[in-house]
Amino acid sequence: MIDEIDHREFRAVLKRARHTAVLTGAGISAESGVPTFRGADGLWKKFRPEELATFEAFMANPGLVWEWYNYRRDLIKKVKPNPGHYALAEMAGYFKRFTLITQNVDGLHELAGSPQVYELHGNIRRNRCLKCNRTDYRDDYVQFPPICQCGGSLRPDVVWFGEMLPEQELSASIAAARDCDLFFSIGTSAAVQPAASLPFMAKQNGAFVVEINPEPSEISAICDLTIRGKSGEIMPLIVRIIKEVQGEE
C-alpha cells in the first residue's frame, strides 16, 4: 500500500502545497460503525425519506421525526472516531492552510480533534430553534417533542431533503476548492450535489486531486491519484509520508 501512495509526484505536491482541502463522505464514518444511507444496509432502505427527513414531515408529525433522529443519535453515541479521523486532525498542523469539509452529520471529526470543520449537511448532535434560530447540543428534554427556552420548536440541525445547504459553510467550501493546490476526496461516492462539484472545481483551478475510496466514484476519472482502500488504513500512511517530506526540507 505504501508503494502505491508514495510516488515522486505526490511527494512533490505534498512538499509545495500551501493550501490543502479535504472533502469527506459517508465512507469514513462507516469505518467507525455509522450506518450509511445508500449502501446495501443503508438506513434509507428501511424508511421512506419523505416521511422522516423533510420540513413538511416534521411539521406534520414532529414526534415521529424526533423518534427517528433520537434513534440515530443513540447509534452515533456508541461510535468513536477511527484512525482516518485522527489522521485528518493531525494533518491540519502540517499545512499553512487546511480546510476540512464534510458531508457527514455525526460530529466525529470534531471528536477526533479537527480544529475547524465545515459541515455541509449539519450536525445530528445539534438542535436548532425554528423561532429564534439558537442552537444547542442538549438531549435532556423537559418535554417531547422538545422546545426551546424561547418557546419555539426545536428541530435536529441537519439539512433535510429540499432544503438549502448552510450558506456560510457552502461558500467557504467553494472558496477552498477554488483556492487549494491539493484536494483530497475521502470516502464519498461524489454523487450528491453540490458537494460533488468541489473536486471538479479544485481540478479546474489547478489542484492535484487525490481520491481515497474502496470503489470507483463519479470523480475517479479526473483524479491525479486514486487509492483504493479504507481511509482508516490509508490516511495514517499519508501522514507518515507528509512527516517524511517535511523532514527533507
Side-chain angles (χ1 to χ4, degrees):
M1 179 66 73
I2 193 68
D3 292 335
E4 179 183 0
I5 302 170
D6 189 14
H7 62 72
R8 185 176 301 174
E9 184 179 7
F10 185 44
R11 290 182 73 98
V13 172
L14 288 173
K15 181 175 289 190
R16 67 173 183 263
R18 55 176 180 78
H19 182 186
T20 294
V22 178
L23 172 67
T24 66
I28 189 171
S29 292
E31 293 177 37
S32 288
V34 177
T36 62
F37 298 99
R38 290 177 174 79
D41 299 319
L43 290 177
W44 289 138
K45 301 294 182 181
K46 303 175 184 177
F47 298 92
R48 295 177 62 195
E50 60 270 23
E51 294 177 350
L52 299 167
T54 68
F55 183 75
E56 292 76 16
F58 178 77
M59 296 304 293
N61 195 338
L64 175 64
V65 172
W66 265 112
E67 286 179 3
W68 161 240
Y69 277 92
N70 281 339
Y71 164 71
R72 289 180 58 192
R73 284 179 172 183
D74 288 341
L75 290 177
I76 288 173
K77 285 178 183 178
K78 299 173 184 177
V79 303
K80 298 179 181 180
N82 63 63
H85 293 104
Y86 288 113
L88 285 169
E90 184 177 357
M91 273 179 64
Y94 291 109
F95 298 96
K96 293 180 180 179
R97 290 190 62 195
F98 186 85
T99 303
L100 179 56
I101 307 157
T102 189
Q103 300 172 84
N104 301 329
V105 298
D106 48 53
L108 291 178
H109 284 301
E110 291 91 341
L111 289 177
S114 287
Q116 183 178 39
V117 185
Y118 292 113
E119 297 172 318
L120 292 180
H121 296 162
N123 190 314
I124 198 172
R125 301 172 188 264
R126 192 169 57 229
N127 311 309
R128 178 163 59 83
C129 177
L130 292 179
K131 183 177 180 180
C132 70
N133 212 38
R134 179 182 295 142
T135 60
D136 65 48
Y137 289 84
R138 294 183 59 187
D139 58 8
D140 55 339
Y141 314 127
V142 176
Q143 64 185 73
F144 187 86
I147 61 171
C148 177
Q149 61 187 34
C150 78
S153 296
L154 289 176
R155 59 164 283 179
D157 193 18
V158 297
V159 177
W160 283 329
F161 290 97
E163 294 185 326
M164 301 293 290
L165 270 59
E167 183 177 353
Q168 181 178 352
E169 282 76 6
L170 180 58
S171 296
S173 300
I174 291 173
R178 290 174 172 168
D179 176 73
C180 71
D181 40 21
L182 175 58
F183 188 98
F184 287 88
S185 176
I186 302 174
T188 174
S189 62
V192 178
Q193 295 291 354
S197 65
L198 296 176
F200 290 96
M201 291 181 188
K203 181 72 173 181
Q204 289 168 358
N205 285 274
F208 187 93
V209 179
V210 181
E211 178 183 43
I212 298 169
N213 207 44
E215 304 293 336
S217 75
E218 299 291 331
I219 67 163
S220 297
I222 63 109
C223 292
D224 298 286
L225 174 62
T226 299
I227 307 168
R228 296 281 169 248
K230 296 181 178 180
S231 60
E233 299 173 355
I234 295 168
M235 291 311 301
L237 296 178
I238 288 179
V239 170
R240 172 178 148 190
I241 295 171
I242 292 170
K243 292 178 180 179
E244 293 175 357
V245 166
Q246 295 201 357
E248 295 171 358
E249 298 178 348

